[in-house]
Amino acid sequence: MERILIIAEKPAQAREYAAALGVKGKGQGWLENDQYVITWCIGHLLELERPEGYMDLERVGKRWSLKRLPVLPAVDSFRRTIKSQTRQQFQVLQKWLKSSEIKHVICGTDADREGQLLFQEVWDLVGCTKPLSRLWISSLTREAILEGMNQLRPGQAVEGLSAAGNGRAFADWDFGMNLTEGFTSLFGSFDTVRKKPNVVSIGRVQTPTLALIVRREWEIDQFVAEAYFEISAAFSAEQGQYTGRWFDPVQENRRLTDRETAEHIAARTQGQPGKIIRAEQKKVSEAPPLLFDLTSLTVTASRRFGFSAEKVLELAQSLYDKKAITYPRTDCAYLPTDMIPKLPAHLKALRQEPYQENVDEAMTYSVPQNKRVINTITAHHAIIPTTETVHLNKLPEAERQLFDLIARRFLAVWFPPAWYQQTEIVTEAAQEHFRSKGRILLSSGWKMVYDFEDAQDPQAESNGTTGKTRRKNKNRENQQEENTELPAVSQGDSVQTTEVRIDEKSTKPPKRFTQGDLLKAMESAGKQIEDDVLRQQLKGKGLGTVATRPAIIENLLQRGYIRQEQKTLRPTEKGTQLISLIQNRLPHAALLISAEMTGQLEYDLAQVEKGKLALEKYMSEVEEAVIRIINELRAYEQKYGKTPLAQAPARSARSAESAKSSKKVHTSSEDQSDQTDKSAKKTKGAKEENGSSAARESGPEKLGPCPRCGEGVIEGNKGYGCSNWKSGCGFVVWKTPICGKTLSPAQMKSLLKKGKTPLIKGFKSKSGKSFNACLVWEDAANGKLKFAFNHD
């Protein structure tokens, strides 16, 4: 009997294939019927052999040192070994790949570089030569699987993808294994507190990402605030009152930094007559946002719910496995033209509460086909809901929140633009100019479905850096103008200046990265690109890939290079010293902290994938760089000797928990230094650090679920905040007295459980009158409260 073998990435994926193809028989590690055998990998079944496997240990010794380096196997000399914990499943795959029953093999792992690599590793080690095809799908619905089976790609079509997968793995091995050992032998030490080595982990993507965070901290430390003055004036016209802000018509962006000049302008214009020299009113439209790719989804979920990058990827993968959304590890925010006839089915699958009314209205519009939706895609299209109806009540809360974002973004592109009436008035008084802007929403369009994302951090209102984009400034202006209605004045009208005010302000330092901000910076090799369309056009030269960046951030946290403080990331002393050392003392190693250089390597890897660059040529560039850095470390050692860096700070219980949960997510690490960390521990024979007594304690009482992320809310000295704050959740209700009353823990419990407090007596109004009321949520996710006077 001749059969077809399908190899999936994991058991859940294999079960979906089996259900779609009617395969019901079960074996020990596979599913089968008369036509198919379906088996699976368990992530990577193999791993690259350690450097010691290529060394003469009797000659170079077992202890890490520069004299053992570099170790740079040729492309065809890298060896992989079977992981002990996956040996049994490897033997299942080997059995079927060699079986005479199998006439054809289909690679059905995830349709990306890493999915191709974990299949290719097994295929190459077994040495299988049977006919090979590639199943390439973007969702696990029955419809998508059957369509993919009818449109199988030939095995040769993904040879470039396989080469790029190997190139990524080999380059990370060369950088991670050689340079982690080299840097640790020179700058590492033994941590007497933890009883284990203080490893100086180096990675092709990890280290330049750390440099972004450290350099931002240096910018903040070196920032000198500058005072400036804003002048605003109130004007009275026959048609009504309005205010305007002073500006220099010759130099639009000029700031007044001299108080005397500001006071002179204010004195000249105070009480003076004025004239309207420009009055423009026009209708402007605002298009819906682009569909989600993984980065924009992570940024939005982080901002709205406080989810970490790793958490978003975990939730998205779970939704994908449940056939709720399409493939999540995508860097593309567009859909291909062949999706156009399928989009109504995706829309119809959302026809349930709370989306039913929106879906019904969306169905009255035509299928979206503009270039903000249908455009050139990369390997995978944007993340959208699948054609299968999702039982929302069966999803965990965090998954439901993420699905809601994806569903509403998808719904939004069906709706027309939002329309505004935008008014601009320029008033001249005493030869000084004042601008007034207003923006009134005329038609909600897509905003009736999706309008909660673009709130900006108020701390960003005035920033001392010059790299901010026009779009970000435009968003801020729009928010300030929103619902500001100006009188219907005309050019040439006379007005009277009734009040002039001077406000002293100060420039603020650059903001620290949040995880979302850092993902965007990694995507564009350190360049801050806010415009979504431009960001899509500049793909390909970032740090890492869309699927691996969350793991890189998690690695930096776990290795003690950075720490999370509420939503922001800060470097530790160890991380700062490493980047300072490389930048100031190791010029050849400086490519390790160059986002542009690392982005170029990522671009070259994409060229390997496209067949435009030979893998051997790519690896020769990597090898030359490693050799230069190792030689530089030798020269440093001869001149300065060993100079240990600071040790990493103690890991918190939260970090340990995060590390444990991150292992559940299938992502490839862009660095091989995880293995070098383990090797260093083994070499020193150190035991794992025991958790502190604080980590073993249950911690403060949780008063109820966080309205933003679902974790527990705890009491602090100044307020009630989310216990998940270290991972970025910013929910807090401050203990600032409200009309003379401070919220008690019992009242907070009631608020979290019931949405309102019990009746609170004795509030004091501004006039001194006493009143009773409940406190209820005005905006739960942002901790905003309001009074409720109906106590029934």
Side-chain angles (χ1 to χ4, degrees), residues 407-477:
R408 291 184 182 279
R409 265 282 180 118
F410 176 67
L411 279 167
V413 301
W414 290 77
F415 282 72
W419 283 92
Y420 291 87
Q421 179 175 283
Q422 190 166 289
T423 305
E424 181 177 356
I425 301 171
V426 176
T427 307
E428 183 180 12
Q431 298 182 322
E432 300 294 343
H433 294 77
F434 296 83
R435 179 181 283 115
S436 312
K437 288 186 175 183
R439 208 167 86 121
I440 303 297
L441 183 65
L442 300 176
S443 173
S444 298
W446 62 270
K447 291 196 170 219
M448 66 183 294
V449 177
Y450 185 94
D451 187 26
F452 46 71
E453 181 183 322
D454 292 327
Q456 298 290 329
D457 186 338
Q459 292 182 355
E461 204 167 282
S462 176
N463 195 295
T465 62
T466 58
K468 296 297 176 184
T469 64
R470 284 183 187 173
R471 182 173 185 267
K472 198 164 190 176
N473 291 332
K474 192 72 175 176
N475 281 344
R476 194 178 306 128
E477 286 179 11

Side-chain angles (χ1 to χ4, degrees), residues 119-139:
F119 167 83
Q120 197 70 36
E121 292 169 345
V122 175
W123 178 265
D124 291 343
L125 187 60
V126 173
C128 187
T129 58
K130 298 179 191 292
L132 175 64
S133 296
R134 184 55 158 109
L135 175 62
W136 195 270
I137 56 177
S138 289
S139 80

